[in-house]
Amino acid sequence: MNELQRVKKVINWLIFQDIAENERDLSEKLGYTKSSFSQIVNGKVPLSDKFVKKLCSLDENINEVWVQSGAGSMFRNNPNSESQVSIPEAAWNIIQQQTASLASRDRQIDELIGMLKDQINEYKKAAARLDGSATSAAAV
């Protein structure tokens, strides 16, 4: 992964984390116009240390060394490590049963929708035949 790809990954992370709504918002937060920001991100303008520093300053967990060189990890600390949850096996089994039950219901609903669509098409065909019969009978 090259430096621009790492920058784009950080940009996507910042947007995902709602630090910015989109690239335009991010460019404004960094003090760049959308045009100049786009030129930097697309490699038309050389990537500066100043840009990387500003980008990394928006999330203190972003590893600036990784962005510049690829060494290490994108994060100084794993963002998921603090939010790990352990689920007891009995609760996990219930979750899996509910998931299977919901998947089964989804399939049933899909089948019912398909049957209803078939019935609607049959009614449309029957109505068209009736309309056609009425027209031909009127012509006689």
Side-chain angles (χ1 to χ4, degrees):
M1 181 180 303
N2 66 35
E3 192 175 17
L4 277 176
Q5 290 170 323
R6 290 189 296 274
V7 165
K8 289 178 184 179
K9 192 168 183 174
V10 170
I11 290 169
N12 288 335
W13 171 256
L14 294 171
I15 292 170
F16 174 75
Q17 290 297 305
D18 289 330
I19 292 170
E21 289 183 34
N22 51 38
E23 286 191 9
R24 177 178 298 280
D25 184 34
L26 187 59
S27 67
E28 290 171 5
K29 286 181 189 274
L30 294 172
Y32 292 90
T33 64
K34 173 62 178 140
S35 175
S36 60
F37 179 84
S38 178
Q39 289 179 344
I40 293 168
V41 171
N42 291 318
K44 294 179 181 172
V45 173
L47 193 59
S48 69
D49 289 340
K50 179 182 172 184
F51 179 85
V52 172
K53 285 182 188 308
K54 281 185 170 186
L55 186 66
C56 293
S57 73
L58 294 176
D59 183 340
E60 62 189 30
N61 198 27
I62 299 294
N63 182 354
E64 186 179 324
V65 173
W66 175 82
V67 176
Q68 291 177 331
S69 68
S73 166
M74 178 174 159
F75 302 107
R76 292 180 183 170
N77 300 311
N78 184 350
N80 296 323
S81 65
E82 298 169 6
S83 61
Q84 288 182 348
V85 176
S86 66
I87 300 173
E89 187 175 345
W92 183 248
N93 290 336
I94 291 171
I95 291 169
Q96 289 178 315
Q97 289 171 358
Q98 290 297 317
T99 301
S101 174
L102 289 171
S104 173
R105 287 183 184 174
D106 285 348
R107 285 189 298 276
Q108 289 174 341
I109 289 170
D110 288 343
E111 288 174 15
L112 288 172
I113 289 172
M115 290 169 53
L116 287 171
K117 285 180 179 178
D118 291 344
Q119 284 182 346
I120 290 170
N121 286 334
E122 289 300 318
Y123 288 135
K124 285 180 180 178
K125 288 178 187 175
R129 283 192 297 265
L130 288 176
D131 285 346
S133 298
T135 305
S136 61
V140 174

